[in-house]
Amino acid sequence: QVKLVESGGGSTQVGGSLRLSCIGSGYVYNKYCLGWFRQAPGKEREGVAFIDSDGETTYADSVKGRFTVSKDDVNNLYLQMTSLKTEDTAMYICAADPRLWAGCPPPGNRYTYWGSGTQVTVSS
């Protein structure tokens, strides 16, 4: 059973930085499509940053140039967030999917495995 555990969230002020981690366990395959999502109260979950098995990255327009997604050799996932804005406040959730043939990110962002999230709060 794959388990994803996020950490690194917290409170910071506008312009601050945070680094999120997503540590996975129970992986069966060597390669996964990985992604970060966020959900603010009253809003739909949105994709933030994605990284495929070859290390190719994709970002939401709202975070381009400020966030950097990366992974390590055992599919742990990271998100370096800089120049944070109040609108970045949300629960940040990581996801993993082994079905590389389906595309990365998978259609409809239907990842197989999800973490429970880590809260990021940015205040002015």
Side-chain angles (χ1 to χ4, degrees):
Q1 180 74 11
V2 172
K3 183 177 181 182
L4 304 177
V5 179
E6 302 93 337
S7 63
S11 297
T12 188
Q13 292 189 323
V14 170
S17 299
L18 287 171
R19 178 177 168 83
L20 306 184
S21 299
C22 172
I23 306 302
S25 61
Y27 282 131
V28 176
Y29 303 103
N30 292 328
K31 297 182 178 182
Y32 287 78
C33 174
L34 303 170
W36 284 101
F37 292 79
R38 66 186 181 187
Q39 187 164 20
K43 294 187 177 181
E44 291 189 356
R45 185 173 60 197
E46 64 169 335
V48 174
F50 308 97
I51 186 166
D52 70 13
S53 58
D54 294 325
E56 292 292 324
T57 58
T58 308
Y59 296 92
D61 288 343
S62 58
V63 306
K64 280 181 182 177
R66 301 188 298 119
F67 290 12
T68 303
V69 62
S70 62
K71 67 183 181 72
D72 61 21
D73 291 342
V74 292
N75 292 303
N76 293 321
L77 182 66
Y78 306 94
L79 187 67
Q80 179 67 50
M81 306 186 295
T82 62
S83 302
L84 283 163
K85 305 175 180 180
T86 56
E87 51 263 44
D88 295 319
T89 295
M91 181 72 75
Y92 283 72
I93 306 158
C94 64
D97 196 273
R99 301 167 297 172
L100 302 182
W101 60 89
C104 186
N109 285 326
R110 293 188 181 94
Y111 284 77
T112 301
Y113 306 110
W114 294 85
S116 57
T118 185
Q119 178 68 36
V120 170
T121 302
V122 184
S123 58
S124 58

